[in-house]
Amino acid sequence: DGGITQSPKYLFRKEGQNVTLSCEQNLNHDAMYWYRQDPGQGLRLIYYSQIVNDFQKGDIAEGYSVSREKKESFPLTVTSAQKNPTAFYLCASNSRSAGQPQHFGDGTRLSIL
Amino acid sequence: EDQVTQSPEALRLQEGESSSLNCSYTVSGLRGLFWYRQDPGKGPEFLFTLYSAGEEKEKERLKATLTKKESFLHITAPKPEDSATYLCAVQSAKEYGNKLVFGAGTILRVKS
């Protein structure tokens, strides 16, 4: 079945450490997105990519980095510059056609050790 | 700036007690309004897309409607398995990249 796979499901970060969250999709979608979800808040956009080798900052990009070397993959690195990384991270994808819904993976929960 | 406000923040219903969730929005040219369902510890699951005022979509006990300023998600005779957080999001025709702006969600609990 087609879908979006995020790994790991749970991740722990030590002080000063960079960690990378994986997102893979087999839906043949051009566009991919990373969101952060905190309790009581809506999803906030971190980075997005409409095509391979191109990506744009979202609303809360500081302390994060991404790459888009393959259509299927859009990994997110949470750097040590992100001072409050504890959150639920969600990856999504859709086609580039206007008005198409985004489809989500099941998330990675990141916590500080 | 595009904005989405959902109300109420939380809703408790008895099984069979119908109700509605509200999503008010301001957007520069609506390209689409989306409803999602999210279970604890899971990613959002797509429910509906609405594109223009007057449009309605139905799926089992759920019905979504759209006006120029808000959308409603009507839940008819809910069951405990309908308990979840319901998210609303809008896509602007003036934003690059098909980005979505989300509301904070409504937490629905249905008791048997």
Side-chain angles (χ1 to χ4, degrees), chain B residues 10 19 26 29 34 44 46 48 51 53 64 66 77 83 87-88 90 96 104 112:
Chain B
S19 189
T26 56
F34 304 86
F46 170 68
F48 304 110
Y51 295 104
L66 181 66
S83 297
L87 300 170
C88 172
V90 296
Y96 169 76
S112 58

Side-chain angles (χ1 to χ4, degrees), chain B residues 43-110:
Chain B
E45 174 190 351
F46 170 68
L47 294 173
F48 304 110
T49 308
L50 300 167
Y51 295 104
S52 58
E55 190 175 359
E56 300 181 352
K57 295 268 181 78
E58 285 190 68
K59 180 181 180 180
E60 297 180 356
R61 295 177 293 282
L62 300 177
K63 179 180 178 180
T65 62
L66 181 66
T67 73
K68 289 186 177 181
K69 294 184 177 181
E70 57 191 351
S71 176
F72 291 93
L73 185 65
H74 306 278
I75 303 177
T76 302
K79 299 182 177 181
E81 53 262 41
D82 294 322
S83 297
T85 297
Y86 290 85
L87 300 170
C88 172
V90 296
Q91 186 180 101
S92 167
K94 296 188 178 182
E95 287 278 351
Y96 169 76
N98 294 339
K99 295 185 293 182
L100 295 181
V101 175
F102 281 85
T106 293
I107 301 171
L108 174 65
R109 292 288 177 261
V110 182

Side-chain angles (χ1 to χ4, degrees), chain A residues 4-104:
Chain A
I4 300 173
T5 302
Q6 291 188 240
S7 62
K9 190 170 178 64
Y10 300 96
L11 187 58
F12 299 91
R13 195 190 88 169
K14 295 180 181 179
E15 292 288 340
Q17 186 181 43
N18 294 352
V19 292
T20 297
L21 285 60
S22 171
C23 177
E24 303 277 335
Q25 55 98 0
N26 61 4
L27 299 167
N28 200 32
H29 285 161
D30 286 307
M32 298 186 74
Y33 309 80
W34 274 106
Y35 293 91
R36 171 180 172 140
Q37 188 174 33
D38 295 282
Q41 297 191 37
L43 279 65
R44 292 183 290 168
L45 184 64
I46 304 172
Y47 268 98
Y48 61 106
S49 168
Q50 295 294 291
I51 198 168
V52 174
N53 292 323
D54 187 41
F55 49 82
Q56 286 75 40
K57 293 182 179 180
D59 300 318
I60 55 166
E62 185 174 350
Y64 301 96
S65 66
V66 294
S67 62
R68 186 85 188 277
E69 297 176 0
K70 298 188 300 181
K71 184 176 182 177
E72 301 79 18
S73 178
F74 192 39
L76 173 74
T77 296
V78 184
T79 74
S80 57
Q82 173 49 246
K83 297 307 179 186
N84 184 21
T86 298
F88 190 48
Y89 291 87
L90 289 160
C91 178
S93 71
N94 65 356
S95 76
R96 293 176 64 193
S97 300
Q100 293 303 303
Q102 293 179 14
H103 298 276
F104 286 82

